[in-house]
Each structure stands twice: as C-alpha cells, then as structure tokens.
Amino acid sequence: MTTFQWLVAMLLILHILNFVGINYALSGERSSENTSFPIATNGQPFPWNKLRLPDWILPVYYDLLIHPNLTSLIFMGSVKIQVTVVHETSTIVLHSKHLEITSAAIEEENGKTQADLKVLEYPPHEQIAFLYAEPLLVDKKYFLSINYIANLSDGFYGFYKSTYKTKDGQIRLLASTHFEPTSARMAFPCFDEPSFKANYTIKIRRDGQHSALSNMPKVKTLKLDNHLFEDHFAESVKMSTYLVAFIVSDFQSVSGTTSSGIKVSVYVTPEKLNQAHYALEAAIKILEFYEQYFGIYYPLPKQDLVAVPDFQSGAMENWGLTTYRETSLLYDPETSSASDKLWVTMVIGHELAHQWFGNLVTMEWWNDIWLNEGFARYMEFISVDATYPELQVNDYLLGTCFAAMGRDSMNSSRPISSKAENPTQIKEMFDTVSYDKGACILHMLRNFLTEEVFQNGIIHYLKKHSYSNAKNNDLWNSLANTCSEEDFTSGKFCYSKSQVAKNAHSYYVDEHFDIAEIMNTWTLQKGIPLIIVEQNQKRIKIRQERFLKGIFQHDPQWASMQIGFLWHVPLTYITSHSKSIGRHLLKNHSDTIELVEDVNWVKFNVDMNGYYIVHYEGNGWDTIIELLNQNHTIFSYKDRANLIHNAFQLVSAGRLSLDRALDLTQYLQHESSNIVLLQGLDYLAAIYHMMERRNISDVRESLKRYILQHFKLVIDRQTWSDEGSISDRMLRSALLELACDLQYPLCVQKANELFSKWMGSGGNLTNIPSDVLETIYSVGSKTADGWNFLLERYKVSMSGAEQRKICSALASCKDDAKLTRLLELAMEGHIIKTQDLSSVIYSVSTNPAGQHLAWKFVKKNWSKLLEKFPLGSFSIRTIIIGVTAQFSSKQELEEVKLFFESVKEKVSQLRAPQIAVENIEKNIKWLDRNLVTLTKWILENLK
C-alpha cells in the first residue's frame, strides 16, 4: 500500500467513525443498533446501513438539467442540490439507481468549491454516499453538484422510453417519467423519500421536432448549437421527489381554462387528438369542484393531463403534469362504452383529488399511503357525483366496498397502515386495502360524523399540513377539531372537539367519543367485523367477531384467528316499525339494543354505509327472504344489494346455507334496480363459471337453464343499442355478455349477424353500438376467420378502448393454439404492448379453455416476467393472484404451492402468493361444502 492509498483509507475510516459517533446518536427512528456496514461497489465500507436515509441533511432546492437522446436512448443530467445541515457530518447519503456519476462537487455559500469528491455506491439499498474532507456545519447552506449519465429505462419506472405507431405504420419515440413510489432516483440523484420535500427548477434539452413538459409552465426556451433547444420551467412549489415529472414528445394538445384561471391541457399522440375533448371538459369541471369543496385554490398556474402510450398503472398524479394510460384518459365516441366513460371520469377525479390529498399534503411514509390513495379513491365518488350526476357514480361505491371486503375477509389481508420498508414492500402497498378499504372506512366515517363535520375536518387537515407531511393521527385530530387559530380570531364557523361529538349522529345520549380511538381499530388491525344479530321482539342482542371466508367455526385455527380482534363499529339500523335510522356505537364484543316497541324485523347497515358484514340468527334471514318476495321495495336498492352480498359472503364463511342465499335471489326477476340485479346475477354467473371450469357438466347445464329461464324477460328486454341512462347501458352490456356466454340462441344469433356486417365492411361500419361491441367481438372470435380479423383490426386501431375490447374477445376463444399465440404476442410486446401483458394473461386464465394454459405460461416464463415488471408491482400481483383465482381442486393447490416454493427466494417478501393459496383453499372448501346443496336446489327450482 502506498502512502497515498494509506491516507485515503484512513480518511475513509475517519469519515465512518465520525458518521457513527455523531449521527447514530441523533437519527432517532432511522438509527440502528447494528454498527456493521455493507460493502460498496469499490470494496470499501459504505457509511450507512439502513434502507431509510439519515435525516441530518435536508434538501431545500434542486436545479435539474436533463438531456435525453431519443436516438441513442441515453440521457445526461446534472443536478445542483441546495442542502441544509441539521447535524454536523462529513458524509451525505442519498438515492441513486442505475445512474453513472461522472463528477461531483460541493460548494459553500461563500463560493468555496471542493472538487473530486469521493463517491461510494451501494446498489442493494439504491444509495450513494459523498465523503468530504471537512465536516458540514449546522445551519449552513451547501450546494451539491452532480453530473451523471444513464440509459432511458426499458420498463415503466424512472425516466423511460415509450413508443407509438402512426396510422401509416411509423414508430415514434418519446421519453416520460413515472417516479412513484421510489423511482425518482432512476432519473436524478436525490433524497427519494416523501418527507424530504423541496422546490425544483427543471431545464430540458431537446431537438426541434419534440417539445418538453414538466410540472410547471415553461418560462423560456434557449436555442443551442447542434439544432438543440433548452426549455426552462418555472420554479415548482415545495413537493416530494415522486411527484416530479417531465416528458419529451411530439404530442399535441387541446386546452381550456377554469373559472379561477388555471390553464388545463390534454396532451395526446397527434392522431388521437379528437379523443381528448371529453377529458378536457371533465378535468376543468372537477378541478373547479375541488377548489370549491376544499376551500383551497389549486396552487399551480396549469394542469396538464398526458396520455402516455406505455404506462403500467392507470394514472399518476405528478403535480401539474398528471399522466395516464390512454384507456384512462381518452374517450372515443365510436368505440368507448358507457363503462369506459365512467372509468375515464373517475380516474380524472382520482388524480385531480391527489393534487390536494398526496401532493399538497403527503403521507410521512409509505406505511400510510392510504392517506393518499384512500382519500383520492373516495373523492372520485364525491367529485363525479357533484359534476356528472347523470353517471350515478355513488351506485358503484357499493362495488368498491364489496371488493375491499372480499380481500379483507382473507387471513392474508393486512392492516391499512402497515410496515413497508424496501421498494418491493412499498409497491405492494398500492392495493385494494389502501385504495378501496381506505375509501370505504372514510365513507363510514363521513356518515358517522355527518357530511358537514367531515368536510370541515378535511379542509382543516389540508390547511394545517399544506406543503408538509402527515400521519394517521394528524387526520383524526383534524376531524376531531376543525378549528384553527385563524378561525377563532376571524370568527369563522368551525367545530371544536366537543362540538364534533355533539353534532355527529348521536350513538348514545351525551356520549363522548374519541375519533382516533375508533378509527385506529379500522386502520391498525386487518380484517372486517361480522355483526351477529339476534332479534326478539324489541330486544336486539348483537355481538361481533372477525369475519373470515373459507375458515369455519369448527376449523381448529378459527378460534386463534379471533384473538385480539375488536372494532368500534358505528352501527345503523331500520326496523319494521320505523324507517328512521337507529344508531349504536358497538365498542365491545357483545351488547344489547332496547327498542321502544316490539318489531317484526330489523335490518342493519343502512344503505351499506358501514364496513361490516351482518348475519341474522334464528329466523332473521327467513323473514328477510319473505319480505323481498312480498315487496322488495320495502328496502332501499342499496340495502337490497347489501343483503345479497352479505348472504353469499356468509355462505363462504359457513354461516348460511347456499340454498338460503339462492332463495334470496329468486325475487330478482321483479327487481327494478340495475345495480341490484347485476349484484345477484354476478353471484349466479360466478357459480356457473366455477362449474364450467371444473367441468361439472350436469350442474353447469342445469344452472345455465335456470339463469336463462329465470331472467329471460329482462334479457329479452335489452336492445342492441346505446340508449338509456349510464346504468341502463351498463346493465345491457353485462346482460348481453352473460346471455351470449350462456349460448342463449337469440343473443348469439344477433351478435353473429352484427359481427358479420362489421367484418364484411372491413371494420369500417361505425353504427355498431359501443356498449355491445365487446359482446359482438367475443362471439365473432369463436371462428378462425373472426379471430384473425380481430387481430388485424387490433393492429391498426387508433382507439385504446377498442383495442381493449378486441383483446378481451381474442382471449375468450376456445382454441388452444390461438390462445397460445395471443400470450406469445403479449410477451413479445410489439403488436400487443407489454403494459397489457398481465391483463392478457389474466383474461386467458378466466377462460375455462385457457386457465391451465395461462398457468403453464406463467410458470415457464416466470423469469422473463420479472424482467418486465418489478416484484411487488400491480402487474406481478395481477398475474400471481389473477391466474390462480379460478383454481378449485387439491391438485391445483399443490401445483401452486410447489411453484411458489420453487421461487420463494424471489417471492418470500410478497403477500400475493399467500393470497393466491388462500383463494384456492377457499374455493376447494366452497365446492366441498356446497356442491350437493347446489345440485339439489337447481333441480327443485327449474321449471
């Protein structure tokens, strides 16, 4: 070792000792008792051993320059980060992934510069460290300058390349970003955690045929040598790294302005500009609504919505530059159905809600991502109901909560607020629990507190924590006390903590309740309560248990799975003698409600405003079934949907016999509500498809006959048109799809007739109703000529909505060779984009002819799939859970277990394999318990 090498080594040791001696004592939750250090890429000790960054260096401001080359697919970047030192140190640790650092320097406020800084890299934690010869002093400003180079990412995270095809077959490239949750570090070195908020100034270099977008408006463009231009964007507001965004493309836009002067633009590929107008209208309306509802003006001068041709998730809320899948933003009047329109509107409502929930106020860490996603999901319903009442969006909140309950009734569920440390765990937090359960408990809380108290509380929450971060308790505190100091001094109306209790619906006379105590039972423990009701005249005995599907009371593990679970449940009920809503806060395992008079029946969870399942013991269900048969309108349509849902859930938990649940559905031939009718039909269709996949042919055929007999009148009423309300149109789509799937002759004949006309016109016939396109395509795909024609149409279609319908139809054919080809095309990623691979695999798996084909495909291509999608991503979860969800035999269960065991090194930290296995176990138990009952019931009820 030379003297120079020895000095460098000693200097490094001193840096690490300084880091350990001073900084571990000051880092709080981020510190570690473990003083061993990992080894950096150069073989030297890396001076930090935690996944979370130390918090004694805080970023204040980023000055970022990005230059992507869309020919070489390389980008160069330089970033100058102004930092503040909280605790003296000589080491700065920040995030970097797949970036080659070419130089780094530190500059003090006085202009003194130190060059040739030592850089260490530790890829397992996606971190780099800069080591300095002198300590950085507390409260002094420093400027860290870093130059780097990297490849544009091949996937869907970081700064990645995307392509689209023009009508004449040209392939055009663009570059776009997606940073949430942990991928800003793939585009520039940064403090890539949500609590490290800072301001940003962004500059982008590009050629003349492209334009650039970022979070803020462009303020100027410089013309450089070599036909390059440099766009400068205004300084951003204070925000987290995952919200930074920039795009270089040749997109075109349509624009409008809100009543408060915000410029709203929708950017798309040039040939799809005619599909952008509805999104622009919706965005302006919803943005104006949120400003009014939250009482806080949108803080940026513009809001861009961009349809990115390659996009893994549905959309992303980058502040001022929201990005979307094309199918989540574009609306084509010729090929987009009623459900497509509803979807686009709700996604826009979701992302614009994030401009307040998530962007203005951000969760402190990813364990509370539900504060972003649960609120945004719930605000979809509030905003769309206010701006587009004709869409009847609140009807679909029921389905959102049904989906959440389905996931939450599994033992493999998780608390809403759960530990998440590494990027894989963090990605897996973006799930049904965060989004759907989060929305549903907020709906329950809003109903509990009253709408006025709830709205005032969230306004208080947003104002108090603007441009900052928040935790669960910050929300509960704001909802419990909506008064700020400004409100008291200005005399504005607000609620104090005691007034919240007084103005909320009274559950007991003069009762005082603690919102945090109540809501912690919903966010800090997993699962859903089962409320068991025993009614005897005017006395109602109630008790609560943890509701579990596929695990019965007599199972050995049932009792242990109940230990420690207790919810504070805001119960609501109506009775035979009063439609006035009764209320009761159940805090214990059991309680009694004394009514003022004897009643014949009681129905809990009015309009399903609560997040719980109800079981009526004794003759409770018999009474309800009789009431529905006599006069189903005695219950609201939401209550009827709730009763159907509860009944079939209770069958899965072994609490109610299947024949009673099926008895409850018999009144449906008289049902006037589309939502309720579909709810009941969905259960019957699910049972039919289970019989079909297991090839239990006698039961399958009998059930098919029963459905077509029992619902013949409502099926025959459907027209092959786009007429009626959104609800009517969605019912039509679902009923005709089911009827043709059941081979109802009139349906198949009409679909074939329309498909033949469409194919005969070369796909140019434009008067086929969009609501029935998917059914027509599906029937047409059953012939070789039809399948091939659809594939060719897919290749040239300029409508993402049409391509989605075609893809679904292609996956529904019964030919193994064609299904295999479809899977291969999706894997190749040329004709069918990689973004759609997981949905293609899932669609094939739901086809009885393709379920085992899809599973074999996943096993064979597992390594390739992990190259395309990150572990923990929505796509991988869709593949793992979706492809196995239809399995219901012990042989399939063993195959799935063996496969996950063979890849456990990769998937051990995922919840998805546990969910998949538990789903199959549940299906097996359901069949074992209910097949005989099902067979008997159908035979007794066939005409």
Side-chain angles (χ1 to χ4, degrees):
M1 179 182 287
T2 66
T3 303
F4 176 75
Q5 289 172 323
W6 181 84
L7 287 171
V8 169
M10 290 304 295
L11 183 60
L12 180 60
I13 290 168
L14 287 171
H15 283 314
I16 293 172
L17 288 174
N18 175 50
F19 211 67
V20 175
I22 297 175
N23 297 330
Y24 270 146
L26 297 169
S27 62
E29 291 181 0
R30 297 168 186 260
S31 70
S32 171
E33 294 301 320
N34 180 9
T35 56
S36 63
F37 288 88
I39 301 301
T41 51
N42 65 355
Q44 295 178 335
F46 189 79
W48 185 242
N49 62 358
K50 301 284 287 180
L51 280 164
R52 299 278 298 274
L53 295 180
D55 55 2
W56 44 81
I57 299 283
L58 301 179
V60 176
Y61 174 81
Y62 291 79
D63 188 357
L64 177 64
L65 170 65
I66 296 285
H67 179 197
N69 185 319
L70 295 183
T71 303
S72 66
L73 303 181
I74 290 172
F75 70 96
M76 292 181 289
S78 65
V79 62
K80 189 173 187 178
I81 310 173
Q82 179 186 332
V83 297
T84 295
V85 181
V86 178
H87 301 297
E88 185 176 303
T89 182
S90 55
T91 306
I92 297 179
V93 180
L94 62 162
H95 288 109
S96 174
K97 182 179 180 182
H98 302 325
L99 304 178
E100 181 185 339
I101 309 298
T102 55
S103 66
I106 189 80
E107 182 180 333
E108 298 180 15
E109 274 186 290
N110 59 14
K112 179 182 176 183
T113 300
Q114 167 128 17
D116 300 325
L117 299 176
K118 189 169 185 63
V119 182
L120 297 178
E121 183 178 6
Y122 186 57
H125 288 180
E126 301 173 359
Q127 293 172 354
I128 54 175
F130 296 97
L131 309 180
Y132 300 104
E134 303 174 17
L136 303 176
L137 304 179
V138 174
D139 293 335
K140 286 196 67 174
K141 291 180 182 177
Y142 294 88
F143 299 88
L144 176 63
S145 297
I146 309 167
N147 295 312
Y148 59 97
I149 189 170
N151 294 316
L152 288 171
S153 171
D154 280 329
F156 303 94
Y157 289 92
F159 193 23
Y160 68 93
K161 67 176 182 181
S162 177
T163 63
Y164 71 92
K165 186 184 289 187
T166 63
K167 282 182 181 177
D168 59 9
Q170 291 182 48
I171 301 294
R172 294 188 181 174
L173 275 79
L174 61 133
S176 183
T177 58
H178 186 108
F179 293 159
E180 189 180 37
T182 59
S183 294
R185 63 194 70 173
M186 296 175 68
F188 59 102
C190 56
F191 298 81
D192 199 11
E193 295 179 8
S195 62
F196 289 120
K197 291 193 170 188
N199 299 83
Y200 296 81
T201 297
I202 294 173
K203 306 180 189 74
I204 299 175
R205 287 182 184 167
R206 56 172 176 85
D207 57 34
Q209 61 185 332
H210 292 104
S211 59
L213 297 170
S214 189
N215 303 85
M216 299 299 289
K218 184 171 63 175
V219 292
K220 66 178 178 179
T221 298
L222 304 180
K223 189 173 183 179
L224 309 178
D225 296 335
N226 301 320
H227 308 290
L228 291 177
F229 297 85
E230 185 175 284
D231 294 327
H232 291 217
F233 297 89
E235 182 178 335
S236 77
V237 294
K238 190 177 181 183
M239 62 184 183
S240 302
T241 48
Y242 77 87
L243 296 171
V244 175
F246 35 88
I247 299 172
V248 176
S249 71
D250 65 350
F251 288 177
Q252 294 179 4
S253 66
V254 292
S255 299
T257 306
T258 69
S259 56
S260 60
I262 306 301
K263 183 179 180 182
V264 179
S265 303
V266 179
Y267 286 84
V268 298
T269 59
E271 291 170 332
K272 297 181 179 178
L273 195 61
N274 65 321
Q275 299 177 42
H277 297 286
Y278 177 71
L280 177 64
E281 173 201 299
I284 290 173
K285 277 189 176 184
I286 293 172
L287 200 60
E288 289 175 342
F289 168 77
Y290 282 143
E291 287 191 321
Q292 175 270 324
Y293 186 87
F294 296 135
I296 301 171
Y297 283 115
Y298 175 73
L300 276 58
K302 61 94 173 175
Q303 171 62 240
D304 297 334
L305 300 86
V306 185
V308 181
D310 296 279
F311 204 86
Q312 187 181 12
S313 56
M316 175 59 206
E317 66 266 23
N318 318 299
W319 216 343
L321 184 60
T322 53
T323 48
Y324 302 76
R325 264 194 188 225
E326 290 186 331
T327 50
S328 297
L329 187 66
L330 305 186
Y331 178 77
D332 177 11
E334 290 185 3
T335 60
S336 295
S337 64
S339 58
D340 292 328
K341 187 174 192 176
L342 180 64
W343 171 251
V344 167
T345 315
M346 293 188 74
V347 173
I348 291 171
H350 184 101
E351 301 312 320
L352 294 185
H354 272 311
Q355 308 302 297
W356 285 264
F357 282 100
N359 299 8
L360 185 66
V361 180
T362 311
M363 76 278 137
E364 188 170 293
W365 183 247
W366 300 106
N367 62 304
D368 280 333
I369 186 58
W370 85 275
L371 290 174
N372 286 18
E373 300 302 347
F375 256 111
R377 174 57 53 86
Y378 188 45
M379 291 308 300
E380 293 174 28
F381 295 96
I382 293 176
S383 65
V384 176
D385 182 54
T387 53
Y388 289 92
E390 69 275 14
L391 294 181
Q392 298 172 286
V393 70
N394 279 331
D395 290 354
Y396 305 100
L397 180 60
L398 292 171
T400 296
C401 297
F402 292 156
M405 289 174 172
R407 171 76 180 89
D408 214 19
S409 58
M410 311 285 280
N411 192 47
S412 53
S413 188
R414 65 169 182 84
I416 283 182
S417 186
S418 299
K419 182 180 179 181
E421 292 298 325
N422 65 47
T424 295
Q425 293 168 341
I426 292 168
K427 285 184 179 72
E428 221 182 3
M429 292 289 287
F430 291 78
D431 64 357
T432 298
V433 174
S434 290
Y435 284 73
D436 296 345
K437 182 178 179 179
C440 295
I441 67 164
L442 288 171
H443 179 65
M444 179 172 65
L445 181 60
R446 183 186 184 209
N447 185 259
F448 173 71
L449 293 175
T450 73
E451 184 172 340
E452 185 180 25
V453 174
F454 180 83
Q455 184 178 356
N456 276 285
I458 61 175
I459 290 171
H460 180 56
Y461 169 78
L462 290 170
K463 288 183 175 179
K464 183 175 182 180
H465 300 284
S466 288
Y467 304 105
S468 187
N469 298 81
K471 297 179 180 179
N472 262 352
N473 278 340
D474 295 318
L475 176 61
W476 310 143
N477 289 337
S478 291
L479 286 165
N481 187 346
T482 66
C483 296
S484 66
E485 185 177 345
E486 178 191 354
D487 292 328
F488 281 123
T489 56
S490 66
K492 291 180 182 177
F493 176 76
C494 63
Y495 288 111
S496 68
K497 189 169 184 177
S498 60
Q499 287 173 313
V500 168
K502 182 178 177 181
N503 284 277
H505 295 301
S506 297
Y507 286 78
Y508 290 111
V509 177
D510 296 326
E511 180 183 14
H512 296 284
F513 56 81
D514 184 326
I515 291 179
E517 183 183 16
I518 293 169
M519 295 310 296
N520 282 342
T521 70
W522 298 95
T523 60
L524 302 183
Q525 68 179 345
K526 65 181 178 179
I528 178 173
L530 171 65
I531 304 301
I532 301 166
V533 177
E534 183 185 346
Q535 182 230 329
N536 184 9
Q537 296 180 330
K538 66 179 180 180
R539 172 169 290 186
I540 304 172
K541 293 181 180 179
I542 49 177
R543 66 183 192 273
Q544 64 166 292
E545 297 173 357
R546 180 186 174 196
F547 180 73
L548 289 164
K549 285 201 296 190
I551 301 169
F552 305 150
Q553 279 181 295
H554 57 74
D555 290 338
Q557 69 269 40
W558 186 85
S560 63
M561 290 180 177
Q562 296 291 327
I563 296 172
F565 286 90
L566 178 68
W567 289 265
H568 289 191
V569 189
L571 300 174
T572 57
Y573 58 90
I574 54 174
T575 71
S576 57
H577 285 46
S578 176
K579 287 298 179 71
S580 296
I581 298 174
R583 301 177 185 276
H584 184 88
L585 184 62
L586 177 63
K587 294 181 177 181
N588 302 310
H589 286 289
S590 62
D591 207 342
T592 301
I593 299 174
E594 292 284 350
L595 303 176
V596 295
E597 58 184 328
D598 292 349
V599 297
N600 300 322
W601 56 263
V602 62
K603 196 276 173 186
F604 275 81
N605 202 358
V606 179
D607 285 340
M608 208 186 135
N609 287 323
Y611 187 76
Y612 52 92
I613 305 282
V614 183
H615 177 43
Y616 302 92
E617 286 193 330
N619 64 354
W621 281 107
D622 295 334
T623 302
I624 287 168
I625 291 167
E626 186 179 346
L627 287 168
L628 288 170
N629 285 323
Q630 289 173 354
N631 177 18
H632 63 271
T633 61
I634 200 167
F635 299 116
S636 72
Y637 76 93
K638 289 183 179 179
D639 276 339
R640 300 196 298 271
N642 174 233
L643 288 168
I644 293 169
H645 171 262
N646 279 197
F648 281 93
Q649 296 304 301
L650 290 166
V651 171
S652 294
R655 293 300 188 121
L656 190 67
S657 63
L658 178 61
D659 54 354
R660 298 312 281 142
L662 291 169
D663 286 343
L664 188 147
T665 67
Q666 287 198 294
Y667 92 93
L668 283 171
Q669 59 186 322
H670 307 297
E671 179 57 71
S672 55
S673 166
N674 298 337
I675 293 298
V676 183
L677 187 58
L678 285 176
Q679 180 67 24
L681 271 169
D682 280 349
Y683 282 113
L684 295 174
I687 296 170
Y688 168 80
H689 288 128
M690 179 182 278
M691 300 303 110
E692 187 180 26
R693 283 187 293 270
R694 285 298 303 275
N695 199 26
I696 307 174
S697 55
D698 56 336
V699 182
R700 178 194 68 206
E701 289 304 308
S702 296
L703 184 54
K704 177 166 75 173
R705 283 172 55 207
Y706 172 79
I707 294 171
L708 291 176
Q709 280 180 10
H710 202 67
F711 297 97
K712 184 179 188 301
L713 289 177
V714 70
I715 292 172
D716 288 346
R717 279 203 305 268
Q718 304 309 309
T719 59
W720 295 74
S721 70
D722 286 339
E723 297 170 353
S725 67
I726 291 289
S727 175
D728 291 337
R729 294 173 63 185
M730 292 177 71
L731 175 71
R732 177 185 302 125
S733 296
L735 275 179
L736 292 178
E737 181 183 352
L738 176 61
C740 282
D741 188 32
L742 296 176
Q743 297 300 301
Y744 184 45
L746 292 178
C747 185
V748 175
Q749 180 184 338
K750 184 65 174 180
N752 270 322
E753 176 190 324
L754 290 170
F755 185 81
S756 296
K757 285 182 181 178
W758 177 72
M759 192 165 75
S761 72
N764 296 317
L765 194 65
T766 58
N767 62 348
I768 295 181
S770 59
D771 289 335
V772 294
L773 271 179
E774 192 164 346
T775 296
I776 293 166
Y777 291 163
S778 181
V779 171
S781 73
K782 301 305 185 288
T783 68
D785 287 346
W787 197 92
N788 291 329
F789 184 82
L790 282 166
L791 181 59
E792 292 306 310
R793 175 68 181 181
Y794 183 94
K795 294 176 184 177
V796 299
S797 176
M798 286 286 113
S799 164
E802 182 182 35
Q803 286 185 316
R804 184 193 60 77
K805 294 175 179 66
I806 291 174
C807 218
S808 176
L810 293 173
S812 72
C813 84
K814 306 302 179 185
D815 186 311
D816 277 8
K818 286 184 169 54
L819 293 175
T820 300
R821 186 182 176 205
L822 182 66
L823 291 167
E824 289 170 348
L825 287 173
M827 180 62 86
E828 289 168 7
H830 301 306
I831 294 172
I832 299 174
K833 283 182 169 286
T834 300
Q835 68 172 7
D836 298 314
L837 173 57
S838 62
S839 62
V840 168
I841 295 172
Y842 174 69
S843 294
V844 171
S845 77
T846 61
N847 177 351
Q851 60 176 343
H852 292 112
L853 195 69
W855 174 237
K856 288 175 185 175
F857 180 84
V858 169
K859 291 191 291 184
K860 178 182 176 183
N861 294 281
W862 181 249
S863 296
K864 292 179 182 177
L865 291 170
L866 290 185
E867 290 172 7
K868 293 178 181 292
F869 305 114
L871 203 60
S873 65
F874 174 77
S875 294
I876 289 297
R877 287 184 319 220
T878 297
I879 291 168
I880 290 175
I881 299 170
V883 172
T884 58
Q886 321 302 326
F887 292 167
S888 58
S889 72
K890 292 178 181 177
Q891 180 184 344
E892 290 165 332
L893 176 62
E894 288 310 307
E895 282 184 21
V896 170
K897 284 182 173 179
L898 282 171
F899 174 70
F900 288 135
E901 181 65 25
S902 72
V903 295
K904 68 177 181 181
E905 188 177 341
K906 286 280 189 182
V907 303
S908 60
Q909 59 185 313
L910 293 183
R911 292 188 184 91
Q914 303 166 37
I915 298 169
V917 167
E918 194 176 351
N919 262 329
I920 302 169
E921 291 172 341
K922 172 180 64 71
N923 292 343
I924 292 170
K925 277 193 170 184
W926 194 98
L927 258 182
D928 287 347
R929 182 182 176 89
N930 296 302
L931 184 57
V932 172
T933 303
L934 174 65
T935 306
K936 182 173 181 289
W937 187 91
I938 296 171
L939 292 175
E940 289 174 351
N941 287 276
L942 269 174
K943 296 175 183 176

